[in-house]
């Protein structure tokens, strides 16, 4: 059975990006040299799922940051790539779930954004939530939780890093 893990960074006031989608406020691993547990997490996953807006933003980072992992991109647009590890899905969440189960993936990372996260949350598909709280208040922005239904979670771990980041891990009840 596949476990879908929502691993995302949010501002202290709960935003995943500025209103214009900018994430320049996120700390980089070059700042202090600490990866806040990202490397260990990345090595534990089999595949990734993201929305088209997140995909296009990631393309702007330079080199593809997810080599060797199959990336599903949910989109209603006609996107294309020469990459063999990126798969565009127009059929929606159900098509992704069916394909990752068929391929036997155990851990799949829900990268973002908010609409994608909400789609998986509202279907009861998110097994684990890893929320990295960045010590920055944006004041406004794009919320992680967009039209989600009420959901009770169990806290399983809290970690703090010297960067000031607090990592909260929850599982669904």
């Amino acid at each position: 059975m596949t476990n879908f893990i929502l691993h995302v960074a949010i501002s202290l006031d709960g935003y995943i990006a500025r209103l214009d989608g900018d994430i320049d406020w996120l700390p980089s691993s070059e700042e202090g040299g600490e990866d806040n547990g990202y490397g260990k997490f990345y090595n534990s996953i089999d595949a990734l799922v993201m929305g088209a807006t997140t995909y296009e933003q990631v393309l702007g980072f330079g080199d593809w940051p997810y080599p060797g992992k199959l990336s599903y991109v949910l989109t209603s647009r006609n996107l294309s790539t020469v990459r063999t590890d990126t798969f565009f899905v127009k059929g929606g969440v159900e098509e992704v779930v069916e394909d990752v189960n068929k391929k036997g993936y155990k851990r799949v990372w829900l990268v973002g954004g908010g609409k994608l996260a909400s789609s998986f949350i509202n279907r009861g598909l998110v097994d684990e939530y890893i929320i990295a709280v960045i010590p920055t208040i944006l004041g406004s922005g794009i919320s992680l939780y967009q039209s989600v239904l009420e959901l009770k979670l169990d806290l399983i771990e809290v970690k703090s890093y010297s960067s000031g980041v607090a990592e909260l891990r929850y599982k669904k009840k």
Side-chain angles (χ1 to χ4, degrees), residues 3-8 35-48 66 69 107-111 128-131 159 161 167 169:
N3 285 314
F4 288 96
I5 301 106
L6 177 61
H7 185 299
V8 65
D35 79 350
N36 300 318
Y38 175 79
K40 182 179 178 183
F41 170 76
Y42 186 75
N43 290 332
S44 78
I45 59 150
D46 301 312
L48 304 88
Y66 312 119
K69 309 274 185 182
R107 292 176 51 85
V108 176
W109 175 18
L110 302 175
V111 178
E128 186 176 350
Y129 296 76
I130 304 172
I131 310 298
K159 288 183 184 176
Y161 296 94
E167 182 182 273
R169 293 185 63 210

Side-chain angles (χ1 to χ4, degrees):
M1 188 69 185
T2 302
N3 285 314
F4 288 96
I5 301 106
L6 177 61
H7 185 299
V8 65
I10 63 169
S11 64
L12 192 57
D13 50 350
Y15 299 111
I16 57 173
R18 297 186 190 281
L19 285 172
D20 65 0
D22 199 345
I23 57 170
D24 63 345
W25 55 276
L26 289 173
S28 68
S29 59
E30 290 82 37
E31 296 174 29
E34 188 172 31
D35 79 350
N36 300 318
Y38 175 79
K40 182 179 178 183
F41 170 76
Y42 186 75
N43 290 332
S44 78
I45 59 150
D46 301 312
L48 304 88
V49 182
M50 67 187 79
T53 302
T54 299
Y55 170 74
E56 289 175 326
Q57 187 174 46
V58 167
L59 290 177
F61 296 162
D63 291 336
W64 183 245
Y66 312 119
K69 309 274 185 182
L70 183 62
S71 297
Y72 294 87
V73 179
L74 289 173
T75 184
S76 58
R77 295 181 276 149
N78 291 321
L79 299 176
S80 63
T81 184
V82 296
R83 299 195 62 83
T84 58
D85 57 359
T86 303
F87 180 61
F88 297 104
V89 179
K90 288 190 175 183
V93 171
E94 291 75 16
E95 184 178 334
V96 171
V97 171
E98 182 180 326
D99 198 63
V100 298
N101 283 323
K102 184 173 72 176
K103 288 185 166 92
Y105 293 141
K106 299 296 181 208
R107 292 176 51 85
V108 176
W109 175 18
L110 302 175
V111 178
K115 289 179 189 173
L116 175 109
S118 295
S119 294
F120 277 81
I121 292 168
N122 284 336
R123 287 173 173 82
L125 295 170
V126 180
D127 300 290
E128 186 176 350
Y129 296 76
I130 304 172
I131 310 298
V133 181
I134 309 302
T136 300
I137 296 173
L138 294 178
S140 64
I142 299 170
S143 174
L144 171 59
Y145 309 105
Q146 299 179 16
S147 302
V148 296
L149 305 172
E150 183 176 322
L151 181 64
K152 303 286 187 195
L153 302 172
D154 287 326
L155 179 66
I156 57 173
E157 186 176 22
V158 176
K159 288 183 184 176
S160 62
Y161 296 94
S162 62
S163 62
V165 171
E167 182 182 273
L168 310 172
R169 293 185 63 210
Y170 296 91
K171 285 200 174 214
K172 67 180 178 180
K173 287 187 179 252

